[in-house]
């Protein structure tokens, strides 16, 4: 239940140690580097090593291109579990340095670029050849090259016309230009492919008739060759291009062996870029470099000792007093004990608290997990969910740092099982309809509430849980003020509500007859006392007496907000009922099919039962997670925090493919 305090520091070092220090900070993810104050620098920022940002970006783009190009040719199938968990190449520091030193990735990039270019060229020619082939095929039987058909006095054009218009077309040509020769080269059901030879002084008439009757003239490719010969040449070129593409793809398949090294280089370049960007924020003189940024206060001593060793005591580290703008941007680090850590995934969905606020993770955890179980309330589903989440961790070998969501589901499954037993939910089975047996008697004995028969009781329980959570939120707000010695704010802003909420509930319980009427007098006193305190305190920031009283009276309207918040918890009843009723319907449908279909009906019933209950589990787990989270984010968190904290982003090795392990 804590935020790890962050402090802002300056590290002053001899410039010659700059690269080593940045390497150390990046390797151990200790410091979020900020842009340093350059007022006292006498030299511009310079890269810490020979690689410039532009060079790194260029090389990164090249490696990414090579990986993208080679990936489709990689015939090693990655198991689904590894894809989901993103298993990485495990590599020691020595292996990394050797790869970086010895591996010439630029040659591989160049090979990939050349192959991609050649394949694209051949594919383009194939496509163009295909179009030419389609265009020339109807003219295969033409016995003259198109260019040779023209003489000094005559001209020949080639084209097609709809076969139904063919007779009309030739009759019109014959009437108006008697010297026109028409050769039918090819005929399909739809079109007639014609060669028209006419006197050049009739070209205008021929064009006019062609346009009017829909003759589509065509420019044939390879006009200096017989179409048949041109088609043969295209076929030969197709064979050559297809062979070149095949050879290049085979070469690319062999080149996929380089992907491991390329992935290592990709991550290494990414780290160099991050280091370069971090280094560009440093303030420098001709001889010194100053690194400004945030670290966790608990790491100060470790950092100091390590840097002294790296720089041979040529280092000065100083914690800075925070200015107002620093407090606004102060990064946040959440650190909880292992049991609570999975729930950081829920907090993370909302965002982080500010550095001046408390971490809500521990507070939300019990409420979230109980609400989650309430939305399912089926013991069978609970066992199944916990088992599936646990199996996913084991089968997919999910790294511990990525297990948070799975562990929340395991906790949720356990709580769902317990609540399912209490509510009598077992895969939607109607316990009362089971044949008499020890199992039936046991399950009925364990069932304390039947939500189908007593929905109002369950609704009441959800409202009680809502009141408890909202009241807890107000108490947390008061506690936080007390922790920071703002006692007056703690009492007047939050303490009065901590008193007023139970006072109202006490009066309502008496009024509803839940509590003995003998307590009604006390309830009224407590209620009116609470109203008086609210009116007297909530307008304290106003200047005039009338304004103070007015603001105090208006503050009572806050009760409407709290009532609205409590009503929102009724969704727990709706979701819980939905899960159980859908499960019952699935069972009903399955048994209907079992009786309807002879011989194989039971097989259909099993398929419906398995598929239906898995579907019901998935959609309701999703709904349980979303709505339980919503109650935290919308009803609970605003009582004691605003959120919007800045995440601590240290200079680090963010890797896509590689995991550095101890040698």
């Amino acid at each position: 239940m804590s935020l790890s305090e962050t402090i802002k520091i300056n590290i002053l070092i001899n410039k010659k140690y700059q690269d080593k220090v940045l390497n150390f900070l990046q390797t151990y993810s200790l410091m979020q580097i900020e842009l340093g104050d350059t007022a006292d620098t006498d030299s511009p920022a310079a890269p810490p090593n020979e690689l410039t940002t532009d060079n790194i970006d260029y090389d990164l783009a090249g490696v990414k291109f090579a990986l993208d190009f080679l990936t489709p040719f990689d015939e090693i199938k990655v198991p689904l579990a590894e894809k989901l968990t993103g298993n990485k190449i495990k590599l020691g520091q020595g292996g990394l340095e050797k790869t970086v030193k010895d591996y010439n990735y630029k040659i591989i990039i160049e090979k990939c670029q050349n192959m991609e270019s050649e394949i694209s060229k051949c594919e383009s020619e194939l496509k163009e050849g295909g179009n030419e082939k389609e265009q020339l095929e109807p003219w295969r039987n033409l016995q003259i090259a198109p260019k040779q058909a023209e003489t000094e006095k005559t001209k020949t054009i080639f084209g097609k016309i709809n076969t139904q218009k063919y007779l009309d077309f030739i009759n019109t040509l014959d009437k108006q230009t008697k010297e026109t020769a028409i050769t039918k080269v090819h005929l399909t059901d739809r079109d007639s492919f014609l060669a028209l030879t006419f006197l050049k002084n009739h070209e205008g008439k021929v064009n006019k008739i062609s346009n009017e009757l829909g003759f589509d003239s065509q420019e044939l490719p390879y006009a200096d060759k017989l179409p048949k010969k041109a088609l043969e040449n295209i076929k030969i070129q197709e064979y050559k291009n297809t062979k070149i593409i095949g050879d290049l793809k085979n070469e690319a398949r062999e080149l996929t062996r380089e992907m491991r090294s390329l992935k290592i280089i990709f991550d290494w370049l990414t780290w160099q870029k991050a280091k370069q960007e971090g280094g560009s924020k440093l303030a420098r003189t001709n001889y010194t470099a100053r690194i400004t940024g945030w670290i966790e206060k608990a790491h100060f001593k470790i950092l100091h000792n390590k840097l002294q060793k790296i720089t041979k005591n040529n280092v000065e580290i100083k914690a800075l007093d925070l200015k107002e703008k620093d407090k606004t941007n102060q990064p946040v680090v959440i650190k909880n004990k292992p049991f609570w850590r999975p729930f950081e995934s829920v907090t993370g969905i909302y965002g982080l608290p500010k550095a001046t606020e408390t971490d809500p993770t521990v507070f939300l955890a019990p409420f979230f997990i109980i609400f989650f179980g309430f939305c399912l309330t089926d013991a069978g589903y609970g066992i199944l969910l916990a088992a599936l989440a646990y199996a996913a961790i084991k089968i997919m070998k999910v790294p511990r740092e990525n297990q948070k969501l799975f562990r929340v589901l395991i906790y949720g499954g356990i709580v769902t099982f317990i609540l399912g037993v209490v509510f009598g939910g077992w895969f939607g089975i109607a316990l009362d309809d089971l044949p008499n047996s020890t199992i039936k008697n046991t399950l009925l004995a364990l069932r304390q509430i039947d939500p189908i028969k007593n929905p109002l009781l369950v609704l009441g329980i959800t409202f009680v849980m809502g009141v408890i959570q909202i009241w807890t939120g107000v108490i947390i707000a008061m506690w936080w003020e007390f922790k920071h010695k703002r006692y007056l704010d703690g009492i007047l802003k939050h303490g009065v509500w901590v008193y007023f909420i139970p006072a109202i509930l006490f009066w309502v319980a008496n009024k509803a007859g839940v509590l003995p009427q003998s307590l009604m007098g006390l309830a009224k006193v407590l209620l009116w006392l609470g109203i008086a305190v609210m009116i007297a305190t909530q307008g304290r920031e106003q200047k005039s007496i009338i304004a103070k009283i007015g603001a105090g009276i208006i503050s009572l309207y806050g009760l409407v907000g709290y009532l609205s918040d409590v009503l929102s918890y009724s969704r727990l009843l709706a979701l819980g009922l939905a899960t159980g009723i859908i499960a019952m319907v699935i069972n009903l449908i399955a048994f209907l099919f079992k009786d309807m279909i002879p011989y194989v009906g039971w097989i259909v019933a099993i398929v419906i039962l398995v598929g239906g209950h898995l579907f019901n589990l998935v959609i309701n787990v999703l709904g349980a997670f979303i709505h339980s989270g919503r109650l935290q984010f919308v009803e609970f968190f605003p009582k004691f925090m605003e959120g919007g904290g800045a995440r601590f982003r240290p200079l680090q090795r963010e890797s896509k493919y590689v995991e550095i392990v101890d040698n």
Side-chain angles (χ1 to χ4, degrees), residues 444-652:
L444 287 175
L446 291 171
R447 186 178 71 184
Q448 300 300 309
I449 302 170
D450 186 343
I452 304 293
K453 293 180 179 175
N454 298 297
L456 289 179
L457 174 60
V458 181
L459 182 65
I461 293 172
T462 63
F463 287 159
V464 170
M465 290 194 299
V467 169
I468 292 172
Q469 188 178 34
I470 289 168
W471 194 47
T472 304
V474 180
I475 291 174
I476 293 169
M478 183 177 70
W479 162 75
W480 191 248
E481 299 286 0
F482 283 0
K483 187 175 180 181
H484 291 82
K485 304 187 187 309
R486 298 188 290 262
Y487 299 111
L488 194 59
D489 280 347
I491 293 172
L492 297 182
K493 282 174 68 177
H494 309 293
V496 290
W497 282 105
V498 172
Y499 161 77
F500 195 37
I501 290 173
I504 291 175
L505 292 175
F506 185 55
W507 177 79
V508 169
N510 272 277
K511 197 75 177 170
V514 177
L515 294 176
Q517 285 300 304
S518 58
L519 296 174
M520 179 54 88
L522 176 61
K524 286 181 179 177
V525 171
L526 294 176
L527 176 66
W528 284 110
L529 179 61
I531 292 172
V533 171
M534 290 289 294
I535 294 173
T537 59
Q538 299 305 293
R540 64 190 180 282
E541 293 175 356
Q542 303 299 323
K543 292 182 179 176
S544 68
I545 295 292
I546 294 175
K548 287 177 187 290
I549 294 173
I553 293 172
I554 291 172
S555 70
L556 294 173
Y557 187 73
L559 283 171
V560 176
Y562 285 121
L563 178 63
S564 171
D565 291 343
V566 171
L567 291 176
S568 187
Y569 288 78
S570 61
R571 71 187 64 230
L572 300 176
L573 166 68
L575 290 163
L577 285 177
T579 307
I581 291 172
I582 293 173
M584 292 173 72
V585 171
I586 291 167
N587 294 340
L588 182 64
I589 294 173
F591 283 100
L592 280 175
F593 274 92
K594 172 181 166 292
D595 297 333
M596 283 170 57
I597 305 174
Y599 307 112
V600 295
W602 60 275
I603 297 177
V604 178
I606 290 174
V607 171
I608 292 173
L609 285 173
V610 173
H613 282 297
L614 279 176
F615 173 76
N616 194 28
L617 177 65
V618 170
I619 60 168
N620 282 294
V621 164
L622 188 62
F625 198 97
I626 290 171
H627 287 280
S628 300
R630 185 211 178 272
L631 290 174
Q632 315 307 313
F633 306 151
V634 180
E635 326 309 342
F636 186 45
F637 284 3
K639 303 296 179 293
F640 60 92
M641 65 174 274
E642 292 181 8
R647 191 176 297 280
F648 180 62
R649 300 186 184 282
L651 175 63
Q652 61 183 336

Side-chain angles (χ1 to χ4, degrees), residues 247-306:
D247 292 344
L248 287 171
K249 287 187 175 180
N250 285 336
E251 190 179 343
R253 286 187 192 93
E254 291 180 10
L255 210 57
T256 55
R257 66 178 182 273
E258 304 293 339
M259 288 181 70
R260 183 179 186 277
S261 298
L262 285 172
K263 288 177 178 176
I264 294 170
I265 293 296
F266 181 88
D267 274 359
W268 178 76
L269 285 170
T270 305
W271 302 338
Q272 297 309 302
K273 182 180 178 182
K275 191 171 73 173
Q276 196 69 256
E277 290 171 349
S280 69
K281 296 177 181 174
L282 271 55
R284 298 180 179 81
T285 67
N286 286 334
Y287 303 103
T288 64
R290 190 180 64 227
I291 308 171
T292 304
W294 297 90
I295 64 166
E296 291 182 57
K297 189 176 181 181
H299 293 159
F300 184 83
K301 192 172 180 181
I302 300 171
L303 181 71
H304 187 272
N305 292 340
K306 289 284 186 183

Side-chain angles (χ1 to χ4, degrees), residues 345-364:
S345 61
V346 181
T347 303
I349 294 172
Y350 178 81
L352 294 173
K354 292 179 180 174
T356 53
E357 296 175 330
T358 184
D359 172 18
T361 304
V362 173
F363 301 120
L364 77 84

